[in-house]
Amino acid sequence: MQQPMIIILKEGTDSAQGKSQVLSNISACQAVAEAIRTTLGPRGMDKLIVDSHSKATISNDGATILKLLEIIHPAARTLVDIAKSQDAEVGDGTTSVVLLTVELLKNSRTFIEDGMHPTIIIRAIRKATALAIKKIKEIAVHIKVDDPKEQRALLEKCAQTTLSSKLIARQREFFAKMVVDTVLMLDDLLPLNMIGIKKVIGGSLEESCLISGVAFKKTFSYAGFEMQQKKLLKPKIALLNIELELKAERDNAEIRLDNVAEYQKIVDAEWSILYDKLEKLHLAGVKEYQKIVDAEWSILYDKLEKLHLAGVKVVLSKLPIGDVATQYFADRDMFCAGRVQEDDLRRTQKACGGAIITTVENLSEQTLGTSEVFEEIQIGSERYNLFTGCPKAKTATMILRGGSDQFIDEVDRSLHDAIMIVRRAVKNDSIVAGGGAIEMALSRTLRDFSRTVAGKEQLIIAAYAKAFEVIPRQLCENAGFDATNILNKLRQKHAENNIWYGVDIMREDVSDNFNAAVWEPAVVKINAITAASEAACLILSVDETIKVPKSSAEPSNAAKAMNMA
Amino acid sequence: MPSVGTLAFDEFGRPVIILRGQDSKKRLFGIEAHKSHILAAKAVANTLKTSLGPRGMDKCMVSPDGDITITNDGATILSMMHVENEIGKLLVQLSKSQDDEIGDGTTGVVVLAGALLEQAEALLDKGIHPIRIADGYELAAKIALDHLDKIAESYPLDLKKLDPLINTAMTTLGSKIINRCQYQMAEIAVSAIMNVADMERRDVNFELIKVQGKVGGRLEDTILVKGVVIDKTFSHPQMPKEVRDAKIAILTCPFEPPKPKTKHKLDITNVEDYKKLREYEKEKFSEMIKSIKDSGANLVICQWGFDDEANHLLLSQDLPAVRWVGGPEIELIAIATGGRIVPRFQELTSEKLGFAGHVYELDFGTTGDHMLCIEKCAKSNTCTIFVRGGNKMIVEEAKRALHDALCVVRNLVRDNRIVYGGGACEISCAIEVAKEANKIPTIEQYAIRAFADALESVPLALAENSGFSPIKLVSDVKSQQIAQNNSRLGIDCLNKGTNDMKAQSVIETLIGKRQQISLATQLVRMILKIDDIRLPAVSTHFRLIFTIDMGSNASIMPQQEDLQTICQQTGFTAKEVQRLYSRFKILDKNNCEFLTRENLLCISEVNINPLGKRLIDVIMEDYGENNKIDFQQFIFLLAKFRRAKFKSSVTEFNTRNSKLRFLFDMYDRNHDMKIDRNELLEVLKMMVGGNVHDDQIEMIADHTINELDKDGDKSITFEEFCKTLERIDADDKMSMKFLT
């Protein structure tokens, strides 16, 4: 007798399950890690990725690369997510977190193949993670922050360690100083959006500069702009969100005039008609041509005059400033810029005080900002508006220079990493040595610990310990060293309790990286280890993937029809 | 394809898809990636190499719209080449950023970057890690920059003595097409800059210098106007052509009755109203004119247009006026004349008027073109360079050359340190870098030495372009530099008899040189650091597409004489032959200068055509030899398919007869000038494939022959064949069209 088939899932649904599924997920993750393996460390290489819109990105940042690879495999997507979360949380170490995850998975693979239940592995991994974090906290070195000089040195070293693997490694001292200056300029909350990064093509890297204040590109300007003052001392700054342009005050207002006789009379129509009067005129149905023309003008002039009378010298607006207003300001030695980007305007407001206002009524000292100097300067082929000496200077702007778009973009990403690290380090002053040193120390601790455990977990914790070694090994491989040799040296050093020994890329040897000032904030490592082990656990615990096919063919037909048309 | 790593297999050996569209993505990895970058960069650098120096050649670029540009400005060439390769694009940006920052030396920077990469290739082959090469390059760049600072000389910047500045400008102009009037141009550039330079801030505002061009006249007619030149005339032909002591009203409001911006509608219901409206308008106009008169102005410059009525009124009131003057020009006029831009008539007062001593119309030859010249302005710090030249391309190139010269002079104003050109400073740096290299204990030593070699690429290219034996000359100069400890010795490109660049006054700015070296080094580092390229889909992005497509293939391409004979015989134009050649090269996948059957089968249309195989048979046997067809044979074949629409375009190849003969040959494979039953059967079978029974085909064949055969020999002769096809327009059906 034939059993009737029971169909549970929709036709076309792809489902895979069991041990083989776990193993195939692991292989997928390994394939992804291959893509970014070579970016690790000071001798790491960059990747050039061209997307389907033929926009090219050159990057060394793990998170950026993974994002651009368009990974669709569900398990491998987890890796992208942890890289992103590491990026958001600490900003750096995105490559190492992925490598660590994959190495953990790789080492667990044999156990899965041998039939060990994933939950046992997961439990052991959790245990080992807790232990590793405890160890980091134990050995991390606290640097006194009460001494600003010492804190600076610490921050600069952390920034340099991050930058050493980037494109700007050669200029890392220069940029580390710049990054630290930037971060220290901010207030206690260290808000990232108060750091403006502007890119100007041309010039060499060393011409990049930091401005303690706000800078933004000259906006589109109308005739008359060139006659405005380009340098003002202690100007009052008005930040507006209103248009200073002749325009239809009410979009839907339509005025019907059928009384030409009125024209003669109203040629000398009065000037001081305010906005509400127009309203009244409109509502009252007075149909006079000239009055309306004049009203439009007077509304604008009224605004301009108020600004002028309040003693404002610099007018910035999010919305356009028209030619009439430009010339009006030029006549009165004022400066104006329309269509200023919103975040630039907001940073100006933070820096210079005042408020972004939507009306020019009641302009007062509180609503106007000020700065020591306002200046328009030429940087490369662009002109920039600069506000420096701001009273509430909790904001900074970096102006980056370089030979090409992709180049500056990568510098931007590198500096972002460095800024994040420095921010972390400001808040959290414990550090560990980089260059694989901390990983080797953890590896040794876990290995020692594993020997004290009875049962299956012993093997897994030992495997975890081995997984940590991937970081120094990859560093060596990328630099073209004999990885096995260096690792043996490191293991020996660590066995002798030299916990800060790591890879010395410059001399192809091992060295005390704490003394060599290869420092990283401890919190980066803690976060990386937590994220990696969680991701590994997640992937191990999945034993079935059900993939529902894309919903029926109709949309694709529709799409075809669209193409035809 | 080294795409190892992106493919993973599950337990059953099925590949797991990890990346979106991973099978269509292209990936280059490791050393292959480096090699491909270097190749691309070298290709770009090589196109520019010949443009370097006073004896450098120009490039002619034709845009897709057919616009022609002739230039030897590196940045311009690269930006018009439409380079598609990613690395190539980086070089384009490199040259652009040099252009933005310095304005000159755009070719040199690309040549240097290309040379650095070329040297890197050899080092990579030695097995040196790319980052160590980059590190070495940066060390070397630092040495070179320090050395440049050392050999740089401070330059006298004296407003009264402009000669030294003019010499520098002349160095820049030396390589340009306009070097015929090098001195004059240099003088113009220098006095323009001096006119607007702010010596205290050491800054030059380029917005105050306008470069205007007009086709006609000679290059020598180029003048510097200390004022503004605009491509406009007075609005009414009867207005005076010259105004002295002009008081200028600069308006941005139109001579029109006022209009509200709010949507409005005017309903006129009777004649009375209409008349009143006219009255109103008229009154408005006279009011406007009056306000201008009252302010004391005797010249009106307006951003917008005038009504005819207003124009007439202006004339009758003796108010010369200019209309439709663009925004930037209005601004320049306002700055120059010290006037204020007035947005509405009510605001016009006498203080807001600008002043110019002399305003007049310039006219040119017989063309009837006029331009307005505003001179002797109240504030004379704006100026306009007015370029003349025999054709548009010359004028455009002259403008670019002047821009370079202006930039150089500006840079001198900013920083008056100079180094000597003609390859002198490069050689000097190369010597210094090579010397320092020996002191470096690590592997970077090799990279530093390579850097020194790369620096020499500039003098080498200079010597080569000037027709000297490059290696000999450069090594001579090098030894002289060391022997005399004189860093001013360079390549004597113009055969002036001395290679002391100071005596020749070949001068370049220090900041320009520094910029070249540091930009090139940084870019090279970026390129060396990439070891993995991922590209979407296939091929298209990975081909360098030049507008001058033939560049590197030129030697294999039929030589000039051959080209002419081909053109004469076949009636193709030279351009068409080039197009066909590029098509030929695309088909020629093995790159061996002939096509095989397989190559032709790659054309999808041929491949799916049921008669495709037969077509190839005909091509190979009748036109090629040994199953190969080379370009000459290929083009004679294609000549049959040339259009013969006009009498003049008919050659021996593309007559109706010869076109039909090609068709006939498709059937007649034994060349007896007859299509017999078997031959016809063969072709018919090919055409219908297996769909029709053989008996039926035989029936069709018999039927056809019976119908066409007039002389009863049971076969079709060529004459009979032509007769059948009488009504078919062979020229239309059997021609290829060139897309233009």
Side-chain angles (χ1 to χ4, degrees), chain A residues 209-240:
Chain A
C209 59
L210 174 67
I211 288 158
S212 63
V214 190
F216 52 86
K217 206 160 115 185
K218 181 193 146 224
T219 52
F220 177 81
S221 62
Y222 288 93
F225 180 78
E226 290 303 325
M227 290 150 73
Q228 293 178 345
Q229 288 284 322
K230 293 300 159 60
K231 185 168 184 177
L232 295 163
L233 293 174
K234 293 217 173 232
K236 278 190 190 162
I237 303 161
L239 307 160
L240 305 178

mmCIF file of all heavy atoms in Angstrom, chain A residues 209-240:
data_model
loop_
_atom_site.group_PDB
_atom_site.id
_atom_site.type_symbol
_atom_site.label_atom_id
_atom_site.label_comp_id
_atom_site.label_asym_id
_atom_site.label_seq_id
_atom_site.Cartn_x
_atom_site.Cartn_y
_atom_site.Cartn_z
ATOM 1 N N CYS A 209 44.444 68.745 7.456
ATOM 2 C CA CYS A 209 44.580 69.547 8.656
ATOM 3 C C CYS A 209 43.335 69.454 9.518
ATOM 4 O O CYS A 209 42.284 68.985 9.093
ATOM 5 C CB CYS A 209 44.877 70.999 8.297
ATOM 6 S SG CYS A 209 43.602 71.724 7.287
ATOM 7 N N LEU A 210 43.511 69.872 10.727
ATOM 8 C CA LEU A 210 42.433 69.827 11.689
ATOM 9 C C LEU A 210 42.038 71.255 12.016
ATOM 10 O O LEU A 210 42.890 72.103 12.261
ATOM 11 C CB LEU A 210 42.918 69.113 12.952
ATOM 12 C CG LEU A 210 41.941 69.105 14.112
ATOM 13 C CD1 LEU A 210 40.741 68.271 13.765
ATOM 14 C CD2 LEU A 210 42.614 68.568 15.344
ATOM 15 N N ILE A 211 40.755 71.503 12.018
ATOM 16 C CA ILE A 211 40.285 72.838 12.329
ATOM 17 C C ILE A 211 39.425 72.767 13.578
ATOM 18 O O ILE A 211 38.467 71.988 13.629
ATOM 19 C CB ILE A 211 39.503 73.423 11.147
ATOM 20 C CG1 ILE A 211 40.482 73.755 10.037
ATOM 21 C CG2 ILE A 211 38.737 74.668 11.552
ATOM 22 C CD1 ILE A 211 39.859 73.825 8.710
ATOM 23 N N SER A 212 39.819 73.539 14.565
ATOM 24 C CA SER A 212 39.045 73.491 15.805
ATOM 25 C C SER A 212 37.861 74.412 15.636
ATOM 26 O O SER A 212 37.864 75.558 16.040
ATOM 27 C CB SER A 212 39.908 73.942 16.975
ATOM 28 O OG SER A 212 40.276 75.271 16.750
ATOM 29 N N GLY A 213 36.885 73.908 15.020
ATOM 30 C CA GLY A 213 35.718 74.706 14.717
ATOM 31 C C GLY A 213 34.999 74.040 13.577
ATOM 32 O O GLY A 213 35.104 72.831 13.384
ATOM 33 N N VAL A 214 34.321 74.837 12.791
ATOM 34 C CA VAL A 214 33.519 74.257 11.730
ATOM 35 C C VAL A 214 34.071 74.716 10.394
ATOM 36 O O VAL A 214 34.500 75.848 10.257
ATOM 37 C CB VAL A 214 32.056 74.706 11.863
ATOM 38 C CG1 VAL A 214 31.175 73.919 10.924
ATOM 39 C CG2 VAL A 214 31.595 74.538 13.284
ATOM 40 N N ALA A 215 34.042 73.832 9.449
ATOM 41 C CA ALA A 215 34.408 74.221 8.097
ATOM 42 C C ALA A 215 33.452 73.531 7.154
ATOM 43 O O ALA A 215 33.081 72.394 7.374
ATOM 44 C CB ALA A 215 35.839 73.796 7.785
ATOM 45 N N PHE A 216 33.006 74.225 6.169
ATOM 46 C CA PHE A 216 32.248 73.546 5.123
ATOM 47 C C PHE A 216 32.475 74.227 3.793
ATOM 48 O O PHE A 216 32.927 75.358 3.712
ATOM 49 C CB PHE A 216 30.751 73.449 5.449
ATOM 50 C CG PHE A 216 30.098 74.743 5.828
ATOM 51 C CD1 PHE A 216 29.599 75.583 4.843
ATOM 52 C CD2 PHE A 216 29.982 75.109 7.162
ATOM 53 C CE1 PHE A 216 28.997 76.767 5.184
ATOM 54 C CE2 PHE A 216 29.374 76.289 7.503
ATOM 55 C CZ PHE A 216 28.880 77.133 6.520
ATOM 56 N N LYS A 217 32.183 73.468 2.761
ATOM 57 C CA LYS A 217 32.454 73.916 1.411
ATOM 58 C C LYS A 217 31.567 75.099 1.077
ATOM 59 O O LYS A 217 30.423 75.165 1.497
ATOM 60 C CB LYS A 217 32.172 72.767 0.453
ATOM 61 C CG LYS A 217 32.936 72.837 -0.809
ATOM 62 C CD LYS A 217 32.949 71.450 -1.425
ATOM 63 C CE LYS A 217 32.203 71.452 -2.728
ATOM 64 N NZ LYS A 217 32.089 70.119 -3.282
ATOM 65 N N LYS A 218 32.134 76.015 0.334
ATOM 66 C CA LYS A 218 31.359 77.164 -0.128
ATOM 67 C C LYS A 218 30.131 76.668 -0.873
ATOM 68 O O LYS A 218 30.202 75.770 -1.692
ATOM 69 C CB LYS A 218 32.235 77.993 -1.074
ATOM 70 C CG LYS A 218 31.535 79.213 -1.595
ATOM 71 C CD LYS A 218 32.302 79.827 -2.753
ATOM 72 C CE LYS A 218 31.318 80.386 -3.698
ATOM 73 N NZ LYS A 218 31.372 80.241 -5.044
ATOM 74 N N THR A 219 29.013 77.246 -0.546
ATOM 75 C CA THR A 219 27.788 76.788 -1.179
ATOM 76 C C THR A 219 27.579 77.532 -2.491
ATOM 77 O O THR A 219 28.313 78.452 -2.826
ATOM 78 C CB THR A 219 26.595 77.054 -0.249
ATOM 79 O OG1 THR A 219 26.645 78.417 0.141
ATOM 80 C CG2 THR A 219 26.659 76.171 0.957
ATOM 81 N N PHE A 220 26.560 77.124 -3.192
ATOM 82 C CA PHE A 220 26.252 77.793 -4.443
ATOM 83 C C PHE A 220 25.891 79.254 -4.158
ATOM 84 O O PHE A 220 25.161 79.547 -3.233
ATOM 85 C CB PHE A 220 25.088 77.092 -5.124
ATOM 86 C CG PHE A 220 24.664 77.778 -6.377
ATOM 87 C CD1 PHE A 220 25.366 77.571 -7.544
ATOM 88 C CD2 PHE A 220 23.591 78.644 -6.384
ATOM 89 C CE1 PHE A 220 24.996 78.208 -8.701
ATOM 90 C CE2 PHE A 220 23.211 79.285 -7.540
ATOM 91 C CZ PHE A 220 23.910 79.076 -8.699
ATOM 92 N N SER A 221 26.431 80.143 -4.949
ATOM 93 C CA SER A 221 26.157 81.537 -4.629
ATOM 94 C C SER A 221 25.675 82.296 -5.855
ATOM 95 O O SER A 221 25.907 81.890 -6.988
ATOM 96 C CB SER A 221 27.422 82.194 -4.093
ATOM 97 O OG SER A 221 28.411 82.173 -5.084
ATOM 98 N N TYR A 222 25.003 83.374 -5.611
ATOM 99 C CA TYR A 222 24.492 84.206 -6.695
ATOM 100 C C TYR A 222 25.420 85.386 -6.929
ATOM 101 O O TYR A 222 26.339 85.638 -6.154
ATOM 102 C CB TYR A 222 23.099 84.718 -6.341
ATOM 103 C CG TYR A 222 22.050 83.646 -6.394
ATOM 104 C CD1 TYR A 222 21.717 82.933 -5.264
ATOM 105 C CD2 TYR A 222 21.394 83.358 -7.578
ATOM 106 C CE1 TYR A 222 20.752 81.948 -5.308
ATOM 107 C CE2 TYR A 222 20.438 82.384 -7.647
ATOM 108 C CZ TYR A 222 20.110 81.678 -6.507
ATOM 109 O OH TYR A 222 19.163 80.716 -6.568
ATOM 110 N N ALA A 223 25.134 86.094 -8.001
ATOM 111 C CA ALA A 223 25.910 87.286 -8.293
ATOM 112 C C ALA A 223 25.882 88.214 -7.089
ATOM 113 O O ALA A 223 24.855 88.376 -6.447
ATOM 114 C CB ALA A 223 25.334 87.994 -9.508
ATOM 115 N N GLY A 224 27.008 88.805 -6.803
ATOM 116 C CA GLY A 224 27.076 89.702 -5.660
ATOM 117 C C GLY A 224 27.850 89.081 -4.522
ATOM 118 O O GLY A 224 28.323 89.762 -3.616
ATOM 119 N N PHE A 225 27.997 87.764 -4.598
ATOM 120 C CA PHE A 225 28.673 87.052 -3.527
ATOM 121 C C PHE A 225 30.133 87.471 -3.412
ATOM 122 O O PHE A 225 30.659 87.618 -2.316
ATOM 123 C CB PHE A 225 28.572 85.557 -3.802
ATOM 124 C CG PHE A 225 29.228 84.705 -2.782
ATOM 125 C CD1 PHE A 225 28.595 84.460 -1.572
ATOM 126 C CD2 PHE A 225 30.481 84.164 -3.003
ATOM 127 C CE1 PHE A 225 29.209 83.680 -0.615
ATOM 128 C CE2 PHE A 225 31.085 83.387 -2.051
ATOM 129 C CZ PHE A 225 30.439 83.148 -0.855
ATOM 130 N N GLU A 226 30.765 87.665 -4.565
ATOM 131 C CA GLU A 226 32.178 88.002 -4.546
ATOM 132 C C GLU A 226 32.443 89.344 -3.872
ATOM 133 O O GLU A 226 33.560 89.653 -3.497
ATOM 134 C CB GLU A 226 32.743 88.047 -5.973
ATOM 135 C CG GLU A 226 32.849 86.700 -6.649
ATOM 136 C CD GLU A 226 33.689 85.715 -5.864
ATOM 137 O OE1 GLU A 226 34.666 86.135 -5.237
ATOM 138 O OE2 GLU A 226 33.342 84.523 -5.863
ATOM 139 N N MET A 227 31.410 90.145 -3.772
ATOM 140 C CA MET A 227 31.626 91.464 -3.181
ATOM 141 C C MET A 227 31.436 91.455 -1.678
ATOM 142 O O MET A 227 31.573 92.475 -1.027
ATOM 143 C CB MET A 227 30.671 92.478 -3.811
ATOM 144 C CG MET A 227 31.055 92.764 -5.258
ATOM 145 S SD MET A 227 29.643 93.162 -6.212
ATOM 146 C CE MET A 227 29.319 94.779 -5.583
ATOM 147 N N GLN A 228 31.084 90.288 -1.159
ATOM 148 C CA GLN A 228 30.891 90.236 0.285
ATOM 149 C C GLN A 228 32.235 90.123 0.996
ATOM 150 O O GLN A 228 33.227 89.714 0.417
ATOM 151 C CB GLN A 228 30.021 89.031 0.642
ATOM 152 C CG GLN A 228 28.619 89.188 0.122
ATOM 153 C CD GLN A 228 27.778 87.984 0.443
ATOM 154 O OE1 GLN A 228 28.287 86.940 0.793
ATOM 155 N NE2 GLN A 228 26.483 88.142 0.311
ATOM 156 N N GLN A 229 32.210 90.470 2.268
ATOM 157 C CA GLN A 229 33.405 90.348 3.088
ATOM 158 C C GLN A 229 33.801 88.896 3.220
ATOM 159 O O GLN A 229 32.958 88.043 3.452
ATOM 160 C CB GLN A 229 33.126 90.907 4.484
ATOM 161 C CG GLN A 229 33.004 92.402 4.521
ATOM 162 C CD GLN A 229 34.347 93.066 4.439
ATOM 163 O OE1 GLN A 229 35.294 92.578 5.020
ATOM 164 N NE2 GLN A 229 34.423 94.162 3.708
ATOM 165 N N LYS A 230 35.084 88.626 3.062
ATOM 166 C CA LYS A 230 35.522 87.244 3.139
ATOM 167 C C LYS A 230 36.236 86.936 4.452
ATOM 168 O O LYS A 230 36.675 85.839 4.675
ATOM 169 C CB LYS A 230 36.430 86.912 1.949
ATOM 170 C CG LYS A 230 35.705 86.922 0.638
ATOM 171 C CD LYS A 230 34.576 85.891 0.638
ATOM 172 C CE LYS A 230 33.507 86.165 -0.391
ATOM 173 N NZ LYS A 230 34.048 86.167 -1.718
ATOM 174 N N LYS A 231 36.408 87.952 5.272
ATOM 175 C CA LYS A 231 37.015 87.674 6.561
ATOM 176 C C LYS A 231 36.387 88.613 7.579
ATOM 177 O O LYS A 231 36.369 89.820 7.382
ATOM 178 C CB LYS A 231 38.523 87.881 6.507
ATOM 179 C CG LYS A 231 39.208 87.499 7.784
ATOM 180 C CD LYS A 231 40.698 87.417 7.652
ATOM 181 C CE LYS A 231 41.278 86.926 8.973
ATOM 182 N NZ LYS A 231 42.701 86.744 8.927
ATOM 183 N N LEU A 232 35.843 88.042 8.621
ATOM 184 C CA LEU A 232 35.172 88.871 9.613
ATOM 185 C C LEU A 232 35.673 88.459 10.986
ATOM 186 O O LEU A 232 35.897 87.282 11.254
ATOM 187 C CB LEU A 232 33.663 88.651 9.542
ATOM 188 C CG LEU A 232 32.973 89.103 8.247
ATOM 189 C CD1 LEU A 232 31.625 88.477 8.130
ATOM 190 C CD2 LEU A 232 32.876 90.606 8.194
ATOM 191 N N LEU A 233 35.856 89.442 11.832
ATOM 192 C CA LEU A 233 36.275 89.144 13.192
ATOM 193 C C LEU A 233 35.064 89.249 14.102
ATOM 194 O O LEU A 233 34.281 90.187 13.997
ATOM 195 C CB LEU A 233 37.356 90.122 13.645
ATOM 196 C CG LEU A 233 38.688 89.979 12.884
ATOM 197 C CD1 LEU A 233 39.638 91.075 13.295
ATOM 198 C CD2 LEU A 233 39.299 88.621 13.104
ATOM 199 N N LYS A 234 34.962 88.302 14.965
ATOM 200 C CA LYS A 234 33.866 88.262 15.943
ATOM 201 C C LYS A 234 32.511 88.582 15.306
ATOM 202 O O LYS A 234 31.825 89.500 15.739
ATOM 203 C CB LYS A 234 34.148 89.253 17.074
ATOM 204 C CG LYS A 234 35.325 88.853 17.911
ATOM 205 C CD LYS A 234 35.081 89.186 19.360
ATOM 206 C CE LYS A 234 36.180 88.625 20.221
ATOM 207 N NZ LYS A 234 35.739 87.841 21.322
ATOM 208 N N PRO A 235 32.158 87.906 14.296
ATOM 209 C CA PRO A 235 30.867 88.217 13.680
ATOM 210 C C PRO A 235 29.726 87.589 14.474
ATOM 211 O O PRO A 235 29.918 86.608 15.180
ATOM 212 C CB PRO A 235 30.970 87.535 12.319
ATOM 213 C CG PRO A 235 31.858 86.371 12.576
ATOM 214 C CD PRO A 235 32.791 86.740 13.688
ATOM 215 N N LYS A 236 28.578 88.203 14.357
ATOM 216 C CA LYS A 236 27.387 87.552 14.895
ATOM 217 C C LYS A 236 26.849 86.666 13.791
ATOM 218 O O LYS A 236 26.780 87.068 12.630
ATOM 219 C CB LYS A 236 26.349 88.596 15.278
ATOM 220 C CG LYS A 236 26.605 89.191 16.632
ATOM 221 C CD LYS A 236 25.421 90.026 17.042
ATOM 222 C CE LYS A 236 25.768 90.824 18.280
ATOM 223 N NZ LYS A 236 24.833 91.925 18.466
ATOM 224 N N ILE A 237 26.477 85.482 14.174
ATOM 225 C CA ILE A 237 26.074 84.520 13.162
ATOM 226 C C ILE A 237 24.607 84.168 13.340
ATOM 227 O O ILE A 237 24.179 83.795 14.436
ATOM 228 C CB ILE A 237 26.916 83.238 13.265
ATOM 229 C CG1 ILE A 237 28.403 83.582 13.135
ATOM 230 C CG2 ILE A 237 26.511 82.234 12.216
ATOM 231 C CD1 ILE A 237 29.314 82.521 13.653
ATOM 232 N N ALA A 238 23.858 84.303 12.275
ATOM 233 C CA ALA A 238 22.455 83.897 12.335
ATOM 234 C C ALA A 238 22.311 82.593 11.574
ATOM 235 O O ALA A 238 22.786 82.457 10.448
ATOM 236 C CB ALA A 238 21.573 84.970 11.726
ATOM 237 N N LEU A 239 21.698 81.615 12.201
ATOM 238 C CA LEU A 239 21.488 80.331 11.551
ATOM 239 C C LEU A 239 20.006 80.212 11.247
ATOM 240 O O LEU A 239 19.186 80.207 12.153
ATOM 241 C CB LEU A 239 21.934 79.207 12.475
ATOM 242 C CG LEU A 239 23.351 79.366 13.011
ATOM 243 C CD1 LEU A 239 23.534 78.531 14.254
ATOM 244 C CD2 LEU A 239 24.349 78.990 11.966
ATOM 245 N N LEU A 240 19.684 80.155 9.986
ATOM 246 C CA LEU A 240 18.283 80.252 9.618
ATOM 247 C C LEU A 240 17.786 78.978 8.974
ATOM 248 O O LEU A 240 18.537 78.183 8.446
ATOM 249 C CB LEU A 240 18.084 81.395 8.621
ATOM 250 C CG LEU A 240 18.574 82.762 9.046
ATOM 251 C CD1 LEU A 240 18.336 83.737 7.925
ATOM 252 C CD2 LEU A 240 17.872 83.214 10.306
#
